Structure formats: C-alpha cells, structure tokens
Amino acid sequence: MSPQSASIARLHAVEVSGDESLVEGPLHGYHHETYVFPLLGEAGRVRPGRWKCREPRPDLLWFDRRCFASEEQLLRDLQGRIHGIPEIAEVGGISLMRFIEGRTLGSLHASGTPVPDVYHRQIIGLFRQLAAVAPASLGAARRCDREDRPDDGDTEGFLRRLVHFTEHRVYRHNLQRFEGLFHELGVGHEAFGHLRAHVSGLTRRPFCLLHADLHRENFIVDAEQRLWTIDWELAMVGDPLYDLATHLHLMRYPAGQARRLAELWHTTVEEVRPGGTNGWRHDLPLLLGYKRAQSVITDVIRHALMLGAEPDVGRHRLHSAALKLHGVLGQAVAPLGLDPVPGTDRIAAALTRWCRAHRAR
C-alpha cells in the first residue's frame, strides 16, 4: 500500500509499531477501521501483547444513539471498576487499545444455544459492576447536551429519546432511499405512533452505566475461560432494565436460560442499586418491544444494503434475507401495529425491486 493510499489508522499503526510487517488488518468491524500489532523495544517490554489502532469509518449509518464522546476515554474512566475490559495506553501521542486475545462467545456458542454457567456467572457479574457505576461518578465527556439528558430515574424520558432517535435519525433520515421498501413491508410513519403508545407507562428506576450492546460477538473468551467485554462504543447512562432487555434480545438465549438470567439480574442489580429493578416484570416486555421494533428498521436497511452491494443476488441469498426479515417483522407486530406481516415471497420481491432501483442509480 502506497503512502498516498494508506489510511490514517494504518499510518498510525505503522508509526507506533515500528515495523510495517507486524501490522495486521484492517480487521472486520462496522464502526472502525482497525489494525493490530505488537510494540517493539522498550515500549513492548512495558506494554507486552498486541494493541490496536483505529479510526472511525467515514459515512457510517448510525442505528443507535451514542452517549459518550470517546470510547477510549470511557474505558480509562472504568479501569478498576469494571473487570475484563481493554486497557488504554498512549504511545507517541496516539491512543491505543489492548487487543484481547481469544475467541468470541458467539464462535464457541452460537446464537440460540445455551451459554455455559462459567460464562453466565461472569455476565451476571458484569451487570453487578455496571449497576454500581452511578452517573455522577463518570468523568468521561458526553456527546449529548445537558438538556437532552433525562433526569436520573426518568425511564419514560430515557425511552422517548431512544424512540425519537430511531424514528428521526434512522427511519426518516433514510427515507429518500428506503421509503418504497418500508412501504411495501407495511412500515409507515404511523408505526411510531403505535410504538410510543405500546411502550408507555414505565416505572421509575435509578440510572446507572449501560453497555447497551451486550451480544455474543462483544464477549471474548480467553485461554483461562475469562470473559472480556469489548466494543463500548454504544455505552450510555440510563435505565438498567434497558441493558437487560438489549442483552436478552441480542443473545437469543433458549427461553429457560433467558428466564433464569432475568431472575439473577433482578437479585443482583437490586443488591447494588436499590430500586434499580422496580417494576421490571411489567416493563421488560415493553423494552423488548422497543428492541424488536428497532430491529425492523435497522435490519431492513442492513439487508437491503448488503444485497444491493452484490452485482447479482442469488435466489438462496435473497430467500435467506427475506426469511430473516419475515421473522423480524413478525416479532414486531404488537409494538409497530403491523397487520398483516408480508410473506417471504412478497418480501423477496420488494428487496429485488429495491436492489434493481438502487443499482440503476
């Protein structure tokens, strides 16, 4: 790669590592272009292992509201308070994050399968540590203006901001490209009125730190079966029950294990943040409803973009995407007021039309 074509992230990685041949990447990842390398000489003796250097990818579609200005700054703030998170180091004026060696939990135990107790216990331990981080104790800079932050305990205001983001920054912001596709799938503007009515009436709960993206690919299992939590990009301050709802939605636990984890979450969080689980049995289905509605908007856009990027979409890929979207739409019938849910053939036809129009531009 010539100096003219090299990205800033790669140039920084080569500069800090001191040996271009040791730099691996870019790694697969949505939010960042990332390179991994060891440090040489004295820097390597002080900071052994591999580190990663990264830069945000340009022109990304953001599907989730962000709270903190810098993931690295937040991780520095959490050292000693949250176990099993990447270390942050400054080398040559460049911020580096330790690369966690191991395998993702998802590669070991696929979505929909049970998670062994050795990891389940550590996930509950993570919820305990998150609940113990009070909003006032966080020094990391925030992205949002002070007036755009709900008061501590205002779970209704917290969720209203999430719904507003999904409607305006994801759905409406992308209507120029996707309005026809959404219309064919039965998702119109009125769906958000249904959603706001469906999720109203939450109980107040004191806020804490949330990871807000706890899925199987964001847990790394090391050689000692320790669980590390990565990708704190979407962390926020808010309703602790939202973190549980997001986790259950993304992990796809078998039903029995999901119920057991929810009960353990209740006991654990209530111990460290009294009142943090108030009304959880009533409110958890409402928050899961929001997550299912959010998935409709994001998954329609993601699948369309993936299919549209391919020069010729085969029938198998198209059917697979249609089947997944049919399932996502089916789960969001109540929160979005969808009636009826289109069948897979209709979804596949709508995706085909969108891809043809998209490629023609």
Side-chain angles (χ1 to χ4, degrees):
M1 183 180 291
S2 67
Q4 290 76 19
S5 62
S7 68
I8 294 175
R10 183 171 180 85
L11 290 172
H12 283 168
V14 171
E15 176 188 347
V16 175
S17 70
D19 186 342
E20 185 173 5
S21 68
L22 298 176
V23 176
E24 297 180 28
L27 303 185
H28 173 73
Y30 181 75
H31 293 120
H32 295 90
E33 180 181 346
T34 304
Y35 296 88
V36 175
F37 49 86
L39 298 173
L40 300 179
E42 181 61 23
R45 285 188 288 274
V46 175
R47 299 181 178 89
R50 294 198 292 171
W51 297 79
K52 57 185 182 182
C53 179
R54 61 190 197 159
E55 289 290 329
R57 295 188 187 277
D59 304 320
L60 277 182
L61 287 176
W62 281 94
F63 298 113
D64 297 274
R65 195 168 185 261
R66 289 180 292 167
C67 177
F68 293 99
S70 163
E71 181 183 2
E72 288 81 3
Q73 190 179 113
L74 175 63
L75 287 172
R76 285 194 191 95
D77 198 359
L78 296 179
Q79 297 298 321
R81 295 200 274 177
I82 305 288
H83 301 150
I85 60 175
E87 178 187 354
I88 303 297
E90 199 84 17
V91 179
I94 297 172
S95 185
L96 303 179
M97 186 181 297
R98 182 174 291 283
F99 181 74
I100 307 301
E101 306 285 356
R103 296 180 61 183
T104 67
L105 185 61
S107 71
L108 297 169
H109 305 282
S111 180
T113 65
V115 172
D117 286 347
V118 63
Y119 307 127
H120 230 218
R121 288 193 297 270
Q122 294 178 69
I123 290 170
I124 290 296
L126 173 62
F127 278 123
R128 174 185 291 276
Q129 294 167 34
L130 287 164
V133 179
S137 72
L138 289 164
R142 303 275 289 274
R143 285 179 177 271
C144 54
D145 296 330
R146 182 64 190 89
E147 56 270 22
D148 192 35
R149 304 175 199 170
D151 293 334
D152 190 2
D154 182 9
T155 53
E156 287 271 334
F158 172 77
L159 189 56
R160 275 198 305 271
R161 285 161 174 80
L162 294 176
V163 172
H164 183 274
F165 183 93
T166 301
E167 180 180 7
H168 292 273
R169 294 298 303 276
V170 184
Y171 175 76
R172 293 183 183 273
H173 183 73
N174 292 291
L175 274 185
Q176 186 174 356
R177 295 179 72 186
F178 299 100
E179 184 171 18
L181 179 57
F182 279 125
H183 177 75
E184 288 198 69
L185 300 182
V187 184
H189 303 303
E190 69 282 357
F192 286 93
H194 282 283
L195 179 59
R196 282 188 287 272
H198 181 80
V199 300
S200 64
L202 297 181
T203 305
R204 290 183 64 88
R205 284 175 288 273
F207 288 177
C208 66
L209 176 66
L210 319 178
H211 180 282
D213 199 23
L214 291 173
H215 57 76
R216 296 179 192 235
E217 298 306 307
N218 280 344
F219 290 119
I220 305 296
V221 179
D222 70 14
E224 282 76 44
Q225 292 191 305
R226 289 177 300 188
L227 211 59
W228 295 75
T229 309
I230 62 171
D231 287 357
W232 292 75
E233 188 76 35
L234 304 182
M236 61 177 74
V237 169
D239 180 2
L241 188 60
Y242 177 74
D243 227 6
L244 174 64
T246 302
H247 179 66
L248 294 177
H249 177 71
L250 296 174
M251 290 288 286
R252 302 287 192 263
Y253 288 114
Q257 190 168 46
R259 287 193 296 270
R260 289 194 299 276
L261 183 129
E263 293 288 350
L264 286 169
W265 174 90
H266 163 238
T267 303
T268 300
V269 170
E270 194 62 32
E271 285 178 358
V272 295
R273 187 152 297 277
T277 70
N278 288 345
W280 76 277
R281 293 184 192 278
H282 173 270
D283 290 358
L284 181 57
L286 304 184
L287 291 168
L288 285 170
Y290 164 70
K291 296 305 298 183
R292 290 164 183 158
Q294 181 192 35
S295 286
V296 168
I297 309 304
T298 60
D299 287 3
V300 166
I301 293 174
R302 282 174 171 150
H303 281 290
L305 290 175
M306 285 190 292
L307 294 174
E310 299 180 12
D312 183 24
V313 180
R315 290 181 61 187
H316 176 74
R317 289 274 291 112
L318 188 63
H319 177 73
S320 176
L323 197 61
K324 288 179 181 176
L325 289 182
H326 182 265
V328 170
L329 288 162
Q331 287 193 324
V333 165
L336 289 179
L338 304 180
D339 185 30
V341 173
T344 53
D345 288 344
R346 182 175 160 191
I347 295 172
L351 287 169
T352 299
R353 284 188 286 273
W354 186 90
C355 288
R356 287 172 180 164
H358 176 72
R359 293 193 191 97
R361 292 178 182 175

